[in-house]
Amino acid sequence: GTFALYSLICRHVKVSLLPNRQVADEALSTYKLEHPPEKNHDSCVKRYLEKHKWLHTALLLLVLLGTCMVIGDGLLTPAISVFSAVSGLEMNMSKEHHQYAVIPITCFILICLFALQHFGTHRVGFVFAPIVLTWLLTISGIGLYNIIQWNPHVYKALSPKYMFMFLRKTRVSGWMSLGGILLCITGAEAMFADLGHFNYAAIQIAFTFLVYPALILAYMGQAAYLSQHHNSAHAIGFYISVPKCVHWPVLMIAILASVVGSQAIISGTFSIINQSQSLGCFPRVKVIHTSDKIHGQIYIPEINWMLMVLCIAVTIGFRDVKHLGNASGLAVMAVMLVTTCLMSLVIVLCWHKPPILALLFLLFFGSIELLYFSASLTKFREGAWLPILLSLFFMIIMFVWHYTTIKKYEFDLQNKVSLEWLLALGPSLGISRVPGIGLVFTDLTSGIPANFSRFVTNLPAFHRVLVFVCVKSVPVPFVPAAERYLVGRVGPVDHRSYRCIVRYGYRDVHQDVDSFETELVTKLGDFIRYDWHRRTTQEDDTVRSNESSSESRLAVIGTVAYEIEENLQPESVSIGFTTVESMEDVIEMAALPPTTTVKRVRFAVEEEDRYEEDEEAEAELRSELRDLVAAQEAGTAFILGHSHVKAKQGSSVMKRLAVNFGYNFLRRNCRGPDVALKVPPVSLLEVGMVYVV
């Protein structure tokens, strides 16, 4: 949720700290704004946010805080869910014995739960719905029994006046108890995290007609029981109200339901870490997609085992449901508070509503959440310190990684090599072209990266077909496959050099290297055909001569082709398009200033408009395609930078600690770019680079 709102804000306002944003990204079909550009309101809030750079950092820190609290909740929820369910054994054991049984059984269940994660959610998902349904029907049935048996008039407690009477009578102690009351809803709100898998109607119906009535009946039943059994108020609130004849079945169902609830939050933790990694906010970790059919079901081994160890440590360390509840309540409340703050920004910046409406929204919901959050903070020494400590630990990791990633990009930008230098490389300088395809991976979306110049300096040769590949994330959940590849030329046709920008959304599945290499060559072939047809229809020789000595316009190669100009000139050119099998039509579109309307012109291919190719141009096309095929058969080499980062002289102590020790420690102990891209070692060429940031 926090990343979804943040990416939505970044699409409308220039607050993203990553400097690789392109005008071409705004042409994505999933990048649609709620209002067309000509109707956008240039509000004072938007201008103020874009003007002050420190607010960009503050906004990112707020998002990271919410994200880290979710990760902390992913650690605490399995512990408190399983521990509270197993605590039902206390009813059948003496105090001396149950403390030696509850903790070991809880730890055993947690170990089994995390050990089963690598099988994937889909393999055990078919039992989730029956277990949750059985659990909800069970607690509602017990609640209804207790209402009828002990106090049928407890329904009057639904009146809000009793809430005010309670707070007026108890005052400070009543306010402090809100942190515990918060636990009544910390499972129910997780339903709305499933909006990515179910539609609105499904969740509204399930919550309104099943979950909410079941919870109300369960809590009313416990209240009815306690109203007649004041002496048992110190005992476990739920299990003490369960009839003895059904105690063991309810205990088993509760344990199964706790496992299901824990599974959901663990999967959510994997997803949010994967999204953080895609947006450059988390070190590279191994992501395994456990389902070929259902998107979003992933498994991260490193995070799984870390969560398991921390979960067991927390369970053994606290040994108390109350302390675990205080910690979990604070984490959940912090996430809600961050979400409300981001939502108020969305109301102004994305929905273009009056700022007073966003302020009223923030005051209404924020005051309620702040009341609960402040009550949770009073339990700081009784467990609430844990999510704060965990969130600070993860925030430091994420911010250090994100900050250094940006500084590395800025270093690459300042040290990139001119195109003239690349074109001057040739036999006269002792440089030779060898067979094969060289894929030079870089974070730059334009220009020649410094790691390539270092490569050629140390090894005076490069491949016959050269492709500068930039794999970047854009602030949208998904990028359609037909719009993923931006392809253009680098230099003249006979140089056989290209640029390919591969765009992924933060929830997209990255391809393995084999399918990526095959698809990349296919897209290059499509681009060569498209570019050749564009040249044959271009009558202006001056334009063609200019393109031969510079980087050509980038074209989105897919079912539909978009041509992008990064020169910010307000023009829109349309062309006809002949036989290319993988494209239906072409839209040529220029990158325009924010105040200019972008025009899209679509031309259908008509038989009578077919252009008769001249023999010379067709021979050039066939020659370039033959070179591409021959290079693919000769083999592909992946050229990556092996970076070492150090802070500039004169940097502050904090920066030196963060960059020299923090980032480099994470870089050495996490997966490298070659592992993340799944590059086979036999095809890997690493170029050592020292970044001074």
Side-chain angles (χ1 to χ4, degrees), residues 272-289:
I272 203 165
I273 287 176
N274 184 42
Q275 293 174 19
S276 304
Q277 180 181 259
S278 298
L279 294 174
C281 294
F282 202 86
R284 300 181 189 92
V285 290
K286 183 179 182 180
V287 178
I288 300 173
H289 294 268

Side-chain angles (χ1 to χ4, degrees), residues 230-401:
H230 302 287
N231 58 343
S232 60
H234 65 280
I236 301 174
F238 174 70
Y239 284 109
I240 196 70
S241 64
V242 175
K244 291 184 178 180
C245 59
V246 293
H247 175 79
W248 287 107
V250 170
L251 177 64
M252 295 305 299
I253 296 172
I255 292 174
L256 290 174
S258 70
V259 170
V260 169
S262 302
Q263 171 65 49
I265 193 65
I266 292 169
S267 300
T269 305
F270 292 159
S271 295
I272 203 165
I273 287 176
N274 184 42
Q275 293 174 19
S276 304
Q277 180 181 259
S278 298
L279 294 174
C281 294
F282 202 86
R284 300 181 189 92
V285 290
K286 183 179 182 180
V287 178
I288 300 173
H289 294 268
T290 58
S291 175
D292 297 328
K293 299 178 180 178
I294 304 175
H295 186 85
Q297 293 188 359
I298 60 175
Y299 168 65
I300 304 177
E302 297 98 322
I303 302 300
N304 182 65
W305 302 123
M306 284 177 61
L307 283 178
M308 186 191 76
V309 172
L310 290 173
C311 226
I312 294 172
V314 166
T315 304
I316 296 174
F318 279 163
R319 295 172 174 262
D320 185 7
V321 175
K322 181 181 177 182
H323 288 105
L324 286 171
N326 293 334
S328 179
L330 181 69
V332 171
M333 211 63 250
V335 175
M336 289 184 177
L337 202 55
V338 169
T339 304
T340 300
C341 294
L342 293 176
M343 195 65 211
S344 62
L345 288 176
V346 168
I347 291 173
V348 176
L349 302 173
C350 306
W351 297 353
H352 309 295
K353 301 296 182 184
I356 188 66
L357 191 65
L359 184 61
L360 291 173
F361 174 87
L362 184 62
L363 289 175
F364 180 75
F365 289 102
S367 59
I368 297 172
E369 291 163 356
L370 200 59
L371 184 67
Y372 280 94
F373 183 74
S374 61
S376 298
L377 279 178
T378 61
K379 307 294 175 58
F380 182 82
R381 293 185 177 181
E382 300 174 17
W385 57 269
L386 182 62
I388 297 176
L389 182 65
L390 288 172
S391 63
L392 284 176
F393 174 72
F394 282 111
M395 273 186 71
I396 290 171
I397 290 176
M398 295 170 81
F399 188 76
V400 165
W401 187 267

Side-chain angles (χ1 to χ4, degrees), residues 105-287:
I105 292 174
T106 301
C107 293
F108 175 76
I109 293 174
L110 288 173
I111 291 172
C112 293
L113 174 64
F114 284 100
L116 292 173
Q117 292 299 314
H118 73 279
F119 289 111
T121 307
H122 67 289
R123 296 187 184 275
V124 290
F126 67 95
V127 299
F128 284 7
I131 290 174
V132 174
L133 183 62
T134 305
W135 170 248
L136 291 173
L137 293 176
T138 299
I139 62 174
S140 57
I142 293 172
L144 193 61
Y145 167 80
N146 286 326
I147 292 171
I148 297 171
Q149 180 72 19
W150 303 111
N151 191 350
H153 300 289
V154 75
Y155 70 89
K156 293 180 181 179
L158 293 175
S159 173
K161 76 172 185 178
Y162 290 101
M163 175 179 65
F164 294 105
M165 290 172 61
F166 169 77
L167 291 175
R168 186 176 63 183
K169 185 175 182 179
T170 56
R171 297 186 182 275
V172 176
S173 59
W175 164 68
M176 293 177 65
S177 71
L178 292 178
I181 295 172
L182 179 66
L183 293 176
C184 296
I185 62 168
T186 53
E189 105 286 344
M191 283 190 67
F192 297 93
D194 292 326
L195 280 172
H197 302 281
F198 301 96
N199 56 29
Y200 291 101
I203 292 186
Q204 287 170 343
I205 292 170
F207 186 80
T208 305
F209 297 104
L210 181 61
V211 178
Y212 183 73
L215 292 176
I216 290 296
L217 286 173
Y219 293 132
M220 285 173 60
Q222 291 178 49
Y225 181 88
L226 291 174
S227 67
Q228 303 297 325
H229 300 81
H230 302 287
N231 58 343
S232 60
H234 65 280
I236 301 174
F238 174 70
Y239 284 109
I240 196 70
S241 64
V242 175
K244 291 184 178 180
C245 59
V246 293
H247 175 79
W248 287 107
V250 170
L251 177 64
M252 295 305 299
I253 296 172
I255 292 174
L256 290 174
S258 70
V259 170
V260 169
S262 302
Q263 171 65 49
I265 193 65
I266 292 169
S267 300
T269 305
F270 292 159
S271 295
I272 203 165
I273 287 176
N274 184 42
Q275 293 174 19
S276 304
Q277 180 181 259
S278 298
L279 294 174
C281 294
F282 202 86
R284 300 181 189 92
V285 290
K286 183 179 182 180
V287 178

